[in-house]
């Protein structure tokens, strides 16, 4: 009974290598016998998934399967039993899922599969307002992308990628040593295929067999509200393409937030310095000050001292998770007028007389002493 490998992975016949990989990873994670609830059923399903993946992930086998509905060499035919039946690729994939995903950690070539592409870093500057609201930013960068001519296989179109004959496609070479303490098995990367498990007898002319070419790429990065200086956004699969059709690395967008001309940020709190007049401080005032999301009412009580801080809860920066907001803190500073109109001067002198302020009491020498006193 022929199995429809596309149906097993739940992908269309035109699925890209990345689609197949994604579908496979999702299913393998779900049905891996170590994690699934119903172990015997999961084991059967897991075997099917791996058979399908082994064929569809290999450009040559997939071509053969598409044309003949079966794969002749038997390695992945229905009934290939046990967990040893599928190539090393399936196993390393599962290890990647459980232990991988760290930047820089996955760049070593894996035994038994094409190497994953390198992760990339892109530094992006945004304004505080953009950090507050979130923003979609288009970025453009050069990376090694999959070669269109050979679809990343590295083989000249019309020729096939071949299983490496030295390691039998596993990418690794085992040597067994007998010692008085028992058998020691050492595993090294295959010297012929460099651990990829495949060789390209006739390299593609566009990429010279590397499967990748330098290309400019433009994509839109979704920056969520609440990000801060140094926040990092991962765009999965947008790093360098993998060698010979291996999985792509990830793109990491590192954010720098340009300082705001008036507002200062500390975590999720926003700080603003507000100049007020002596009369506003003395008599009290209802003010409106600008934050990132419009005006914030500020009630200055009568008798407020210069340097006092008002905290308005919930009007600061949002958290990235979006469930709360920090506070808005306004510090008022009394500004003394540098110039007075004649009427203002009269009124202030009147005020000074009423409140008993002595404006010209000290002697000339007192004032000179004051001027030279260090403060
Ligand atoms: Zn190519
Ligand atoms: Zn090899």
């Amino acid at each position: 009974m022929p199995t429809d490998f596309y149906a097993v992975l739940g992908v269309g016949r035109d699925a890209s290598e990345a689609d197949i990989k994604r579908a496979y990873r999702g299913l393998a994670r779900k049905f891996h016998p170590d994690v699934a609830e119903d172990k015997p059923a999961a084991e059967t399903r897991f075997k099917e998934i791996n058979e399908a993946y082994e064929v569809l992930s290999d450009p040559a086998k997939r071509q053969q399967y598409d044309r003949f509905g079966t794969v002749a060499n038997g390695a992945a035919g229905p009934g290939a039993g046990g967990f040893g039946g599928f190539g090393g690729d399936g196993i390393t994939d599962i290890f990647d899922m459980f232990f991988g995903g760290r930047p820089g950690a996955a760049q070593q070539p894996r035994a038994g599969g094409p190497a994953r592409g390198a992760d990339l870093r892109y530094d992006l500057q945004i304004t505080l307002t953009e950090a507050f609201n979130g923003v979609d930013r288009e970025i453009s960068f050069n990376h090694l992308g999959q070669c269109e001519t050979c679809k990343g296989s590295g083989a000249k179109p019309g020729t096939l990628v071949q299983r490496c004959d030295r390691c039998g496609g596993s990418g690794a070479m085992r040597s067994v040593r007998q010692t008085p303490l028992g058998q020691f098995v050492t595993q090294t990367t295959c010297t012929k295929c460099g651990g990829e498990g495949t060789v390209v007898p006739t390299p593609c002319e566009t990429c010279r067999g590397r499967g990748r070419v330098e290309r400019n790429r433009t994509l839109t990065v979704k920056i969520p509200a609440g990000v801060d200086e140094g926040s990092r956004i991962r765009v999965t699969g947008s790093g360098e393409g993998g060698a010979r059709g291996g999985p792509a690395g990830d793109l990491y967008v590192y954010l720098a937030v340009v300082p705001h001309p008036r507002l200062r940020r500390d975590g999720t709190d926003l700080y603003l310095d507000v100049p007020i007049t002596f009369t506003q401080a003395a008599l009290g005032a209802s003010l409106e000050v600008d934050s990132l999301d419009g005006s914030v009412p500020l009630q200055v009580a009568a008798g407020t001292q210069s340097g006092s801080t008002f905290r308005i809860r919930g009007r600061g920066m949002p958290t990235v998770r979006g469930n709360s907001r920090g506070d808005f803190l306004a510090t008022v500073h009394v500004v003394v007028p540098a110039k007075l109109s004649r009427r203002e001067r009269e009124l202030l002198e009147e005020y000074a007389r009423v409140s008993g302020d002595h404006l010209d009491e000290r002697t000339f020498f007192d004032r000179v002493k004051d001027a030279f006193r260090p403060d």
Side-chain angles (χ1 to χ4, degrees):
M1 189 180 69
T3 315
D4 184 349
F5 290 146
Y6 290 97
V8 168
L9 293 184
V11 295
R13 296 193 87 82
D14 55 356
S16 69
E17 276 184 41
D19 293 336
I20 288 168
K21 182 141 227 150
R22 203 174 308 118
Y24 166 72
R25 286 188 166 218
L27 290 167
R29 189 182 280 127
K30 200 166 151 197
F31 291 103
H32 192 277
D34 287 350
V35 295
E37 305 258 314
D38 180 359
K39 286 191 197 311
E43 197 163 321
T44 312
R45 191 72 209 282
F46 191 65
K47 211 176 75 185
E48 280 175 11
I49 293 161
N50 277 285
E51 281 166 1
Y53 181 67
E54 176 161 15
V55 172
L56 297 186
S57 63
D58 180 328
K61 283 187 198 164
R62 184 178 176 185
Q63 209 174 22
Q64 206 177 350
Y65 175 75
D66 285 347
R67 201 173 302 160
F68 304 112
T70 177
V71 178
N73 65 19
F83 289 115
F86 36 86
D89 206 10
I91 295 293
T92 42
D93 270 327
I94 287 148
F95 274 90
D96 272 0
M97 280 182 320
F98 293 137
F99 305 112
R102 296 177 306 276
Q107 289 171 31
Q108 287 138 331
R110 305 173 304 164
R116 180 179 179 275
D119 293 326
L120 289 177
R121 173 184 174 137
Y122 188 98
D123 291 296
L124 182 63
Q125 269 201 346
I126 59 169
T127 64
L128 188 63
T129 309
E130 287 172 329
F132 180 85
N133 292 312
V135 66
D136 288 353
R137 281 285 286 273
E138 194 171 83
I139 63 169
S140 184
F141 57 97
N142 286 330
H143 76 152
L144 285 174
Q146 196 186 66
C147 172
E148 301 270 309
T149 312
C150 61
K151 300 282 176 256
S153 73
K156 187 175 175 171
T159 72
L160 290 181
V161 175
Q162 283 173 9
R163 182 176 284 245
C164 172
D165 56 4
R166 184 164 301 167
C167 61
S170 70
M173 297 199 300
R174 279 159 56 95
S175 62
V176 180
R177 208 151 42 95
Q178 298 291 347
T179 75
L181 295 171
Q183 231 183 33
F184 278 83
V185 181
T186 342
Q187 195 155 311
T188 50
T189 303
C190 172
T191 47
K192 186 171 180 186
C193 64
E196 290 178 14
T198 52
V199 287
V200 176
T202 321
C204 162
E205 279 157 17
T206 310
C207 62
R208 295 193 300 277
R210 293 183 310 154
R212 300 181 293 178
V213 284
E214 174 106 5
R215 188 177 302 134
N216 188 269
R217 170 119 195 250
T218 301
L219 61 85
T220 303
V221 184
K222 243 188 157 37
I223 297 162
V227 290
D228 204 346
E229 178 78 22
S231 291
R232 199 180 73 174
I233 294 165
R234 183 165 103 169
V235 188
T236 310
S238 289
E240 308 267 55
R244 307 253 177 88
D250 297 333
L251 171 71
Y252 287 87
V253 179
Y254 282 75
L255 297 177
V257 181
V258 186
H260 190 272
R262 289 174 294 105
L263 292 160
R264 200 161 45 78
R265 173 191 191 168
D266 184 11
T268 52
D269 292 337
L270 286 173
Y271 292 83
L272 176 67
D273 287 320
V274 182
I276 59 171
T277 65
F278 164 75
T279 45
Q280 285 170 329
L283 304 173
S286 296
L287 304 177
E288 299 260 311
V289 292
D290 283 338
S291 182
L292 294 170
D293 60 340
S295 63
V296 176
L298 187 63
Q299 283 301 327
V300 178
T304 292
Q305 300 300 315
S306 189
S308 303
T309 298
F310 297 85
R311 179 185 289 264
I312 294 103
R313 297 202 180 272
R315 291 299 301 269
M317 295 293 287
T319 58
V320 177
R321 305 250 170 268
N323 46 13
S324 67
R325 277 178 69 177
D327 298 337
F328 181 88
L329 294 105
T331 302
V332 296
H333 299 276
V334 171
V335 177
V336 177
K339 251 175 99 180
L340 293 173
S341 69
R342 180 197 271 193
R343 176 80 182 126
E344 284 166 345
R345 190 172 178 84
E346 282 170 12
L347 288 170
L348 277 179
E349 283 170 349
E350 170 79 16
Y351 169 84
R353 264 195 304 282
V354 172
S355 59
D357 290 350
H358 300 285
L359 298 180
D360 199 13
E361 179 184 62
R362 294 177 304 164
T363 65
F364 172 73
F365 289 108
D366 284 337
R367 272 179 276 144
V368 169
K369 246 190 330 195
D370 266 4
F372 287 95
R373 181 185 296 155
D375 44 22

